[in-house]
Amino acid sequence: MAEKTYDLTIFGATGFTGKNILDEVIKTAPNAFPGQQPIRVAIAGRSREKLEQILTALPTVGAGTNRVKVDIIVADAQDEASMKAMCRDSKTVIAAAGPFRFLGEAVVKACIEEGAHYVDITGEPEFFEAMTLKYHEKAKEAQVAIVHVCGFDSIPADMGVLYTKQQLEKNHNALPSTIEMFFKLHIAGNSGFGGHYATYASAVHGFGSAGLLRQMRKTANRPQIPKIGPSLIVNPKPHWVSKVAAYTIPFFFADPSVIRLSQQMVLQDKDLQSSQSPPVQFSAYICIPTFKVLAMAIFASTAFGLLAKYESGRRFLLKHPRLFTLGTFSHEGPTNQQLAETSFSETFYAQGYSKELRDMHPNPEELRRVQPDVSLVTSVSGPEPGYVATPKMVVQAAYTLLREKDKVPNGVLTPAVAFARTNLIDRLQEQGIVFSTIVKS
């Protein structure tokens, strides 16, 4: 990679999450790069005026007391020349501006053409699966790593599945068979959960592109994920689950798509298989504490499913975020109190086969008729997922590309494929994103 002016560029820094990502960089970069020259950072967006306002609001930078120096790049996703100039000057780009189906491809394309690595915070399956199909080989040829879904979508889930499989293999010599994930949002006070409009808009467009996603998958020619052991039964209906003491509904965000894609990419690439576990059957659920909240969730998901299919329906959804989320999402975003009182956990219930049982049944078809004999429960937990944990995750992913690129393959990748051989999980642990084993038997 040619010499670059900036180690890290945050594209979309004027947005709600982009500002939090910049704050996270300023807070963590000095310790992430000890003994080195100050990390060179740029913030990028369409409006120089807004970028200058952000810079002015950073007294630690202006006063020269922080090792992080921040410059401004004016770049517009609709202006190809400006995007190429931004990426030409950047070692790694953090893309924080969405909806990504409208803005993201311009950044991906420019990064590949100008030799910049890339991470983003998208949660739109149609976007990142399309980028994988269109640009994976081009990114490999350019020796560039393009890593999608490096925020709450979907580092906890994708790296959590990788971590759980690794624990089964390393500590129990067990072949993973199934993993069920249960997501919980924890609210410590009475302020409730809040979300920003940009996140809501991304979800609307994600729901709206579901039909395109199904069509794309039919023509993608990706391998079927082989089943190890009996088939994992997925319950598509709302139901009570005693082991998590909650009602559950299927997880309708990006995580299942990401984990499926991670495993398909490994099956397609022999070079990746040395650093990855065999495929595992996976299901994911959202935990809902009360019947009242369950009814609200069913209302919201039904409305999205019906209206997001049509352009007029999407316009209506985008016009009334408070109505269709019962006051949760707004243009103002969450309050500081809401952010402080919210946290998340994802619990993974895994099963696998011990070496002794595998020796008794060496034929995969025999294993399909035998119940797994090893169980493991792991967890990934952290602070408020959307605007506190997400900046931590994407920044640490970017640092990993800067410090451990020799351990990251090239191409358009998911987190588990990109970071399987790196110290990303250790970096996340240091920032309060906790990976742990709860129960083993």
Side-chain angles (χ1 to χ4, degrees), residues 1-2 4 87-88 90-93 107-119 131 135-148 265 401 405-406 408-414 417-419:
M1 184 176 292
K4 303 279 190 171
C87 296
R88 191 178 305 128
S90 308
K91 286 185 178 180
T92 297
V93 174
V107 195
V108 170
K109 183 174 182 289
C111 280
I112 293 171
E113 292 178 351
E114 299 299 333
H117 303 306
Y118 165 105
V119 293
M131 294 301 97
Y135 291 107
H136 180 61
E137 293 303 323
K138 293 179 181 179
K140 288 176 70 174
E141 292 172 6
Q143 299 184 22
V144 164
I146 305 292
V147 193
H148 295 299
M265 293 186 74
L401 285 178
K405 179 56 188 68
D406 59 319
V408 178
N410 297 314
V412 181
L413 312 168
T414 58
V417 173
F419 301 121

Side-chain angles (χ1 to χ4, degrees), residues 267-289:
L267 290 170
Q268 286 179 309
D269 192 332
K270 291 184 178 180
D271 293 337
L272 298 175
Q273 293 169 10
S274 62
S275 63
Q276 294 278 345
S277 305
V280 63
Q281 298 181 68
F282 176 79
S283 64
Y285 301 92
I286 298 173
C287 295
I288 299 175

Side-chain angles (χ1 to χ4, degrees), residues 234-380:
V234 179
N235 192 334
K237 298 179 180 179
H239 61 290
W240 178 264
V241 177
S242 298
K243 64 185 176 184
V244 293
Y247 294 99
T248 67
I249 58 175
F251 197 96
F252 48 76
F253 297 114
D255 290 356
S257 297
V258 175
I259 289 157
R260 182 191 305 112
L261 183 58
S262 290
Q263 299 194 124
Q264 289 173 325
M265 293 186 74
V266 172
L267 290 170
Q268 286 179 309
D269 192 332
K270 291 184 178 180
D271 293 337
L272 298 175
Q273 293 169 10
S274 62
S275 63
Q276 294 278 345
S277 305
V280 63
Q281 298 181 68
F282 176 79
S283 64
Y285 301 92
I286 298 173
C287 295
I288 299 175
T290 67
F291 187 80
K292 178 182 178 181
V293 178
L294 175 64
M296 294 164 59
I298 293 173
F299 163 77
S301 60
T302 301
F304 266 67
L306 292 174
L307 294 174
K309 297 177 183 178
Y310 310 102
E311 184 177 350
S312 58
R314 289 192 293 274
R315 287 199 300 268
F316 191 62
L317 286 168
L318 292 170
K319 189 175 181 180
H320 302 284
R322 288 185 179 274
L323 172 64
F324 289 102
T325 62
L326 302 178
T328 299
F329 284 85
S330 66
H331 287 276
E332 295 76 26
T335 66
N336 290 334
Q337 184 175 358
Q338 286 176 320
L339 295 177
E341 293 179 350
T342 305
S343 60
F344 80 93
S345 65
E346 292 183 349
T347 306
F348 301 84
Y349 290 83
Q351 292 188 312
Y353 292 94
S354 65
K355 185 177 185 306
E356 291 77 12
L357 192 57
R358 299 200 306 274
D359 289 342
M360 292 172 59
H361 303 278
N363 190 314
E365 286 302 317
E366 293 182 34
L367 278 184
R368 288 183 61 81
R369 297 189 292 269
V370 179
Q371 291 299 318
D373 63 336
V374 177
S375 298
L376 183 70
V377 182
T378 64
S379 173
V380 180

